[in-house]
């Protein structure tokens, strides 16, 4: 397993002190699907644009297979990229868009039809102009463009957007198969269930900062404990004096990394009546994701 | 701060080692000629692009037909055909130049273009050469239409065809038309928005010259410097067929001011700007 995409201390600052990407480091490995999770505006798309050289970074480096993306002699044949399926000239047909990419990369013409077949666009659809495409059809076309050069790496920003359930299933199988053959997939989404099903590794980003990363199983195991008390203030005080890190929630529940065992002991010692105490394990990635990102979004106000 | 922070754990290394990276054959760099070919294709392969190109030929034919129908017999000379054909060309060619650049931003296809070729300078060089090629070729198409028009017109009127445009004059007209087109290209590069660039072009060609003319008529000092700083003023002699060496200098000086400098600024900005 090799690190195919290496992002190191990536920072992107805009004017007026806005930091879109803040010291982001992660890797995406061969044979793995790396899910890049975060709410809208978290910095996912900016990070991906920096990786492929569309946006200059303020600082930090990105390597793809040990080289900068701009140093790849024919990038489309090594890295398949889909950043925004709607970013196409609306007046071109789907077939024509694939043909332009095929010619740029210097591939045989037959690849265009192969890709149309692969992404299930009929001849009739391929000859229509993209302005008449549904979002799902644009995504299929975008996937076709990304796969056209038979790359080793796929970088896809929200590729499941606009796909119907069958399309999502198709995409999942396609990405799984791609990774199983030794490919590297970096996939962003806010569709948590999609990512949860297909990703091996996760990078969770909120407010431009990475809030969690690791293998999916590690992250699920590290979910910790959810606890609720009749006297929330007393519980907070007890946990604080015990040295636990925790986060409170609007619904009155408290989440901590400590085990339920440990939290129960602390509550008992402090004579705090608990109304709920359970392992957050299995609560699903969604809860973790929502909490992590909610924390960073409320940062400052909550702390 | 009491936010939960999961320590970043590196991905587990206990993965199946059956995964083998695929071997990668060494790739040659994408040649510029291939990018030029793709950029040429892009100028034709949309409906608007196709009709813009087609309108070059259509307006040529219409202008020629108008001369044959409306001009008195002694005006059926080649230079009149050339002038009639040249007028729409000087409007349409700059539009083609503008759209060659701005469509990547206005239609956002630049996301794909600049990812497949992550060197904007190369893409823009290819676009520049493709636009120049279209400009020169379309001038020769216009030449053919003009020749046919002159032959047909004189045959209909029963007079001898008058060939009063020399090859050197034609070359100057081609140069003038291509310079106009490249001015559009420059505007596209600097403004990177189709509507904005087209409006700016018309302000430059329709609004600015009378204002500068007015200034020159009323201010002696400006009348003296105008040939040096007014690019469209300096281009006019190209279409008349002869330039003195001083007029060439006027063209060069105003061209640096109105074309090369903004082009350099545009290139500088585009190569660093974000593509969204």
């Amino acid at each position: 397993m090799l690190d195919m995409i290496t992002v190191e201390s990536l920072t992107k600052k805009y004017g007026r002190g806005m930091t879109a990407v803040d010291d982001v480091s992660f890797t995406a490995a061969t044979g793995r699907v790396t899910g890049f999770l975060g709410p809208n505006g978290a910095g996912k798309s900016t990070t991906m644009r920096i990786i492929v050289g569309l946006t200059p970074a303020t600082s930090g480096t990105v390597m793809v297979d040990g080289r900068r993306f701009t140093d790849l002699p024919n990038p489309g044949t090594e890295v398949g990229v889909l950043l925004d399926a709607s970013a196409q000239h609306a007046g071109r047909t789907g077939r024509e868009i694939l043909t332009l990419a095929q010619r740029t990369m210097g591939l045989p013409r037959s690849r265009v039809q192969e890709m149309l077949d692969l992404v299930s666009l009929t001849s009739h659809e391929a000859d229509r102009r993209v302005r008449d495409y549904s979002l799902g059809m644009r995504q299929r076309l975008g996937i076709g463009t990304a796969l056209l050069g038979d790359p080793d790496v796929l970088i896809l920003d929200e590729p499941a957007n606009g796909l119907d359930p069958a399309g999502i299933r198709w995409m999942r199988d396609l990405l799984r198969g791609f990774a199983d053959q030794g490919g590297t997939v970096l996939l962003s989404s806010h569709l948590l269930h999609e990512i949860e099903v297909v990703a091996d590794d996760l990078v969770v980003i909120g407010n431009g900062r990475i809030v969690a990363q690791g293998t999916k199983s590690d992250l699920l195991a590290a979910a910790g404990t959810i606890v609720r008390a009749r006297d929330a203030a007393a519980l907070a005080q007890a946990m604080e004096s015990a040295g636990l890190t925790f986060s409170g929630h609007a619904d009155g529940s408290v989440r901590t990394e400590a085990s339920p065992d440990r939290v129960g002991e602390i509550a008992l010692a402090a004579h705090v009546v608990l109304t709920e105490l359970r392992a957050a394990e299995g609560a699903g990635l969604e809860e973790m994701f929502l909490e992590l990102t909610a924390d960073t979004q409320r940062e400052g106000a909550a702390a | 701060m009491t936010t939960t922070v999961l320590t970043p754990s590196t991905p587990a290394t206990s993965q199946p080692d059956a995964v083998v990276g695929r071997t990668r054959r060494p790739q040659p760099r994408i040649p510029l000629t291939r990018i030029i070919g793709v950029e040429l294709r892009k100028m034709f392969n949309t409906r608007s692009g196709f009709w813009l190109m087609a309108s070059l030929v259509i307006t040529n034919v219409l202008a020629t037909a108008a001369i044959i129908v409306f001009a008195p017999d002694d005006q059926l000379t080649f230079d009149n055909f050339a002038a009639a054909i040249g007028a729409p060309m000087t409007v349409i060619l700059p539009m083609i130049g503008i759209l060659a650049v701005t469509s990547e931003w206005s239609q956002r296809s630049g996301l794909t273009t600049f990812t497949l070729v992550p060197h904007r300078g190369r893409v823009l060089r290819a676009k520049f050469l493709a636009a120049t090629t279209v400009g020169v070729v379309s001038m020769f198409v216009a030449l053919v239409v003009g020749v046919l028009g002159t032959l047909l017109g004189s045959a209909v009127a029963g007079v001898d065809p008058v060939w009063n445009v020399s090859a050197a004059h034609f070359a100057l007209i081609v140069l003038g038309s291509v310079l106009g087109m490249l001015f559009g290209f420059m505007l596209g590069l600097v403004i990177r928005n189709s509507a904005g660039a087209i409006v700016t072009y018309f302000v430059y060609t329709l609004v600015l010259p009378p204002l500068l003319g007015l200034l020159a008529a009323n201010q002696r000092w400006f009348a003296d410097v105008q040939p040096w700083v007014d690019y469209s003023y300096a281009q006019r002699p190209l279409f008349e067929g002869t330039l003195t060496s001083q007029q060439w200098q006027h063209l060069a000086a105003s061209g640096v001011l109105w074309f090369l400098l903004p082009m350099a600024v545009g290139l500088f900005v585009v190569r660093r700007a974000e593509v969204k």
Side-chain angles (χ1 to χ4, degrees):
Chain A
M1 192 177 72
L2 292 162
D3 288 339
M4 203 63 173
I5 304 174
T6 311
V7 176
E8 251 174 50
S9 312
L10 203 63
T11 298
K12 174 67 187 176
K13 289 190 173 123
Y14 290 98
R16 302 180 305 280
M18 205 282 233
T19 305
V21 179
D22 190 358
D23 196 26
V24 162
S25 300
F26 66 88
T27 60
T30 53
R32 319 260 301 165
V33 176
T34 302
F36 197 26
L37 266 180
N40 293 330
K44 300 187 300 289
S45 300
T46 308
T47 303
M48 289 180 137
R49 277 205 313 274
I50 293 173
I51 292 175
V52 300
L54 290 177
T55 294
T58 307
S59 63
T61 56
V62 178
M63 293 296 207
V64 180
D65 199 11
R67 290 161 296 170
R68 284 180 307 180
F69 187 85
T70 49
D71 289 339
L72 302 177
N74 193 350
T77 60
E78 300 190 47
V79 185
V81 180
L82 171 58
L83 294 184
D84 185 343
S86 295
Q88 282 300 349
H89 197 299
R92 291 201 181 106
T93 65
R95 190 188 301 278
E96 189 56 38
I97 284 169
L98 282 174
T99 303
L100 289 174
Q102 166 254 319
R103 291 191 161 221
T104 307
M105 291 186 238
L107 304 168
R109 288 188 60 173
S110 57
R111 280 299 281 174
V112 171
Q113 189 56 49
E114 283 171 40
M115 287 303 108
L116 289 171
D117 294 340
L118 180 73
V119 302
S120 310
L121 285 174
T122 64
S123 280
H124 176 69
E125 288 168 334
D127 292 327
R128 274 163 62 191
R129 289 171 202 279
V130 168
R131 74 162 57 83
D132 301 324
Y133 277 28
S134 67
L135 183 54
M137 286 164 73
R138 287 176 199 211
Q139 293 285 18
R140 287 173 180 276
L141 180 67
I143 297 281
T145 312
L147 288 170
L148 189 68
D150 190 23
D152 291 334
V153 182
L154 279 181
I155 296 176
L156 311 172
D157 195 3
E158 307 271 359
N161 264 8
L163 289 180
D164 54 25
I168 289 176
R169 177 62 189 268
W170 163 80
M171 164 93 62
R172 181 195 305 160
D173 293 345
L174 187 132
L175 298 182
R176 186 70 264 161
F178 186 85
D180 288 346
Q181 283 166 38
T184 306
V185 181
L186 177 64
L187 165 78
S188 84
S189 183
H190 61 262
L191 300 175
L192 300 148
H193 292 297
E194 238 344 277
I195 287 263
E196 193 175 0
V197 174
V198 72
D200 305 301
D201 299 317
L202 286 171
V203 178
V204 187
I205 187 170
N207 265 8
R209 244 178 275 173
I210 290 188
V211 288
Q213 66 175 316
T215 64
K216 185 172 63 184
S217 45
D218 279 358
L219 287 176
L220 283 174
T225 303
I226 290 174
V227 58
R228 198 190 295 259
R230 204 188 286 160
D231 185 350
L235 175 68
Q237 204 185 2
M239 288 173 75
E240 208 165 302
S241 50
L244 298 189
T245 54
F246 60 93
S247 56
H249 273 269
D251 64 359
S253 71
V254 173
R255 171 183 280 268
T256 173
E257 274 182 77
S259 64
D261 218 47
R262 176 105 180 88
V263 176
E265 276 174 13
I266 292 166
L268 181 65
H271 300 288
V272 174
V273 179
L274 297 184
T275 54
E276 187 181 355
L277 176 67
R278 63 184 168 89
E281 213 171 339
L285 215 46
E286 179 157 16
E287 199 174 333
M288 184 199 88
F289 166 70
L290 285 175
E291 290 190 13
L292 286 170
T293 52
D295 284 345
T296 51
Q297 280 175 337
R298 288 188 289 128
E299 202 166 347
Chain B
M1 196 174 88
T2 57
T3 43
T4 309
V5 177
L6 295 182
T7 40
S9 61
T10 46
T13 47
S14 61
Q15 287 309 307
D17 45 18
V19 172
V20 181
R22 290 183 282 181
T23 47
R24 175 57 49 194
R25 58 270 164 204
Q27 293 264 341
R29 193 175 192 222
I30 299 176
L32 188 65
T33 47
R34 206 198 283 162
I35 309 176
I36 295 172
V38 169
E39 291 304 330
L40 272 174
R41 191 180 174 105
K42 282 185 189 171
M43 296 170 116
F44 291 88
N45 70 1
T46 64
R47 196 174 284 162
S48 54
F50 174 81
W51 283 108
L52 203 52
M53 292 293 179
S55 69
L56 281 174
V57 180
I58 293 168
T59 52
N60 282 350
V61 173
L62 285 180
T64 306
I67 294 276
I68 292 174
V69 174
F70 298 115
D73 289 357
D74 64 337
Q75 295 292 306
L76 291 173
T77 55
F78 184 67
D79 64 336
N80 280 331
F81 282 102
I85 291 168
M89 296 284 277
T90 57
V91 176
I92 296 170
L93 283 179
M95 296 302 114
I96 292 173
I98 287 171
L99 293 175
V101 184
T102 55
S103 64
E104 299 283 4
W105 278 269
S106 285
Q107 296 279 345
R108 300 184 62 223
S109 51
L111 245 67
T112 307
T113 305
F114 297 123
T115 307
L116 289 178
V117 184
H119 300 274
R120 299 182 202 165
R122 296 190 85 206
V123 174
L124 289 168
R125 204 177 316 149
K127 282 184 185 293
F128 187 89
L129 294 171
T132 309
T133 306
V134 167
V136 172
V137 169
S138 62
M139 288 309 289
F140 278 91
V141 171
L143 177 69
V144 170
V145 175
V147 166
L148 292 176
T150 309
L151 287 174
L152 187 68
S154 52
V156 168
V159 296
D160 286 334
V162 182
W163 305 109
N164 50 2
V165 175
S166 67
H169 186 181
F170 178 71
L172 288 178
I173 293 175
V174 171
L175 179 64
S177 304
V178 171
L179 283 180
M181 180 182 207
L182 295 181
F183 186 80
F185 185 91
M186 179 277 290
L187 283 180
L189 191 64
V190 170
I191 295 170
R192 297 198 299 284
N193 173 288
S194 303
I198 290 172
V199 168
T200 307
Y201 178 79
F202 282 113
V203 169
Y204 166 81
T205 51
L206 299 179
V207 181
L208 200 59
L211 289 180
L212 291 179
L214 200 64
L215 187 62
N218 291 293
Q219 299 286 332
R220 251 208 89 80
W221 64 268
F222 185 74
D224 294 337
V225 297
Q226 186 180 19
W228 297 96
V229 297
D230 187 343
Y231 191 36
S232 53
Y233 183 95
Q235 280 180 43
R236 252 167 255 161
L238 286 174
F239 295 91
E240 284 148 20
T242 48
L243 276 83
T244 64
S245 69
Q246 198 184 31
Q247 282 175 317
W248 280 112
Q249 288 166 27
H250 291 161
L251 188 63
S254 58
V256 167
L257 192 65
W258 284 90
F259 179 67
L260 288 182
L261 275 180
M263 185 86 153
V265 171
L267 272 175
F268 182 84
V269 172
V270 161
R271 292 176 70 171
R272 279 154 191 80
E274 246 184 313
V275 180
K276 284 194 159 182

